[in-house]
Amino acid sequence: LAVMAFLFFRQHSLIYHPRPYFFHAGQVLPNGAVAVDYRLPFGSQTAFYISRTTPTPKRLWIAFCGNGSLALDWTVILRGYPRNADSFLLVDYPGYGKNSGYAGIASTRATADGALHALAEKLGVPENQLPLAVIGHSLGAAVALDFAARHAVQRVVLIAPFTNLRAEAATVVGRPLSRLLIENYDNNENLQKTFARSPAVKVAIFHGSNDRLIPCRFGRQLADQFPAVSYHEVANADHVSVLDLARKQIIEWMTQGR
């Protein structure tokens, strides 16, 4: 009972690992990057916009990091991305980076939607005229799919995704205790919604063969259920090293067919 009580009341801290920037974010922004500040009912938020060549992007990639990472980590992961007309909106979760609030499905959804709205206003472009794509790693893959299920998107990149958060919890604490989970990101359901909303969307999954945190069988299961998904298993990569070992392959997929 003590273990069950601990897991129930501490589950938020087991899922989300918020941390701040230990430096002024403006000091490390790459060339062409700007902060996008906006407010939500639970406080001030800051996302980061990286524009490559044109004022209005030909494709806007919205990036969501893993639960222990920050939005600006994508500037390292995507280093070497070709200088084309793609742009990037890097989104931190509530309580992460410079953001106020408390991360959860609803508040994270509000933060992502708010970042897009703030950027559209900054660019002077209606939201529905921005060609959207999403990329996410681990928990960020679930946040990316939650976004894609509610917005028209052209492309989706999922790195080390689970099928649903309850199934992932079962691999960590066992199936009986996983039933205590209050919030459950369901990637199966959101992939179905994504294809229904955007029938021509292109989806790719990259998963490390040695991933012990979120086993690659989860990525394969998602791909098996949705034949239109392109599945790429990365040999000898674990949950973190997949970002580096598959970097070139991921970028090639993101930029193909332009």
Side-chain angles (χ1 to χ4, degrees):
L1 288 175
V3 171
M4 291 176 65
F6 175 82
L7 290 174
F8 182 80
F9 290 108
R10 293 293 304 276
Q11 61 183 268
H12 182 274
S13 63
L14 297 175
I15 298 171
Y16 300 99
H17 304 285
R19 61 186 179 92
Y21 291 107
F22 292 105
F23 42 75
H24 189 276
Q27 296 175 342
V28 295
L29 291 182
N31 291 336
V34 295
V36 180
D37 298 316
Y38 58 105
R39 290 196 63 84
L40 294 173
F42 46 84
S44 61
Q45 313 290 305
T46 299
F48 303 96
Y49 178 59
I50 300 177
S51 178
R52 294 287 176 169
T53 56
T54 59
T56 303
K58 297 297 184 183
R59 180 174 293 138
L60 175 64
W61 286 93
I62 305 179
F64 302 97
C65 59
N67 62 358
S69 301
L70 293 169
L72 286 178
D73 292 339
W74 284 107
T75 61
V76 176
I77 297 167
L78 295 173
R79 185 176 296 159
Y81 198 92
R83 297 194 65 83
N84 55 22
D86 289 0
S87 295
F88 295 87
L89 179 61
L90 314 180
V91 180
D92 276 313
Y93 309 135
Y96 286 64
K98 299 178 67 177
N99 289 356
S100 301
Y102 187 79
I105 292 178
S107 62
T108 298
R109 182 179 295 166
T111 299
D113 291 350
L116 177 61
H117 181 73
L119 177 62
E121 286 192 337
K122 192 179 190 71
L123 296 177
V125 179
E127 286 183 41
N128 59 8
Q129 291 185 18
L130 287 171
L132 303 178
V134 291
I135 181 172
H137 171 238
S138 189
L139 177 67
V143 180
L145 271 180
D146 181 80
F147 183 93
R150 298 177 295 103
H151 299 267
V153 296
Q154 298 178 350
R155 297 191 183 192
V156 176
V157 175
L158 308 175
I159 307 170
F162 45 73
T163 50
N164 61 73
L165 192 53
R166 184 164 283 113
E168 165 60 13
T171 67
V172 178
V173 299
R175 189 173 299 277
L177 291 178
S178 70
R179 299 179 185 275
L180 298 174
L181 192 67
I182 297 174
E183 292 195 324
N184 181 37
Y185 276 107
D186 192 328
N187 288 342
N188 284 297
E189 180 180 341
N190 283 331
L191 253 179
Q192 186 174 4
K193 291 179 178 178
T194 297
F195 280 115
R197 176 177 288 275
S198 308
V201 65
K202 295 181 179 180
V203 181
I205 293 175
F206 296 85
H207 216 133
S209 63
N210 294 345
D211 192 332
R212 296 186 177 183
L213 184 60
I214 301 179
C216 60
R217 59 183 170 84
F218 286 132
R220 287 198 300 265
Q221 287 172 12
L222 284 174
D224 288 344
Q225 292 180 48
F226 300 91
V229 172
S230 173
Y231 178 73
H232 309 265
E233 195 161 304
V234 185
N236 303 317
D238 59 24
H239 192 68
V240 176
S241 66
V242 66
L243 293 167
D244 183 54
L245 294 178
R247 179 191 307 176
K248 182 178 179 181
Q249 190 179 6
I250 291 170
I251 292 175
E252 286 178 351
W253 190 91
M254 292 170 72
T255 56
Q256 69 182 5
R258 296 199 61 86

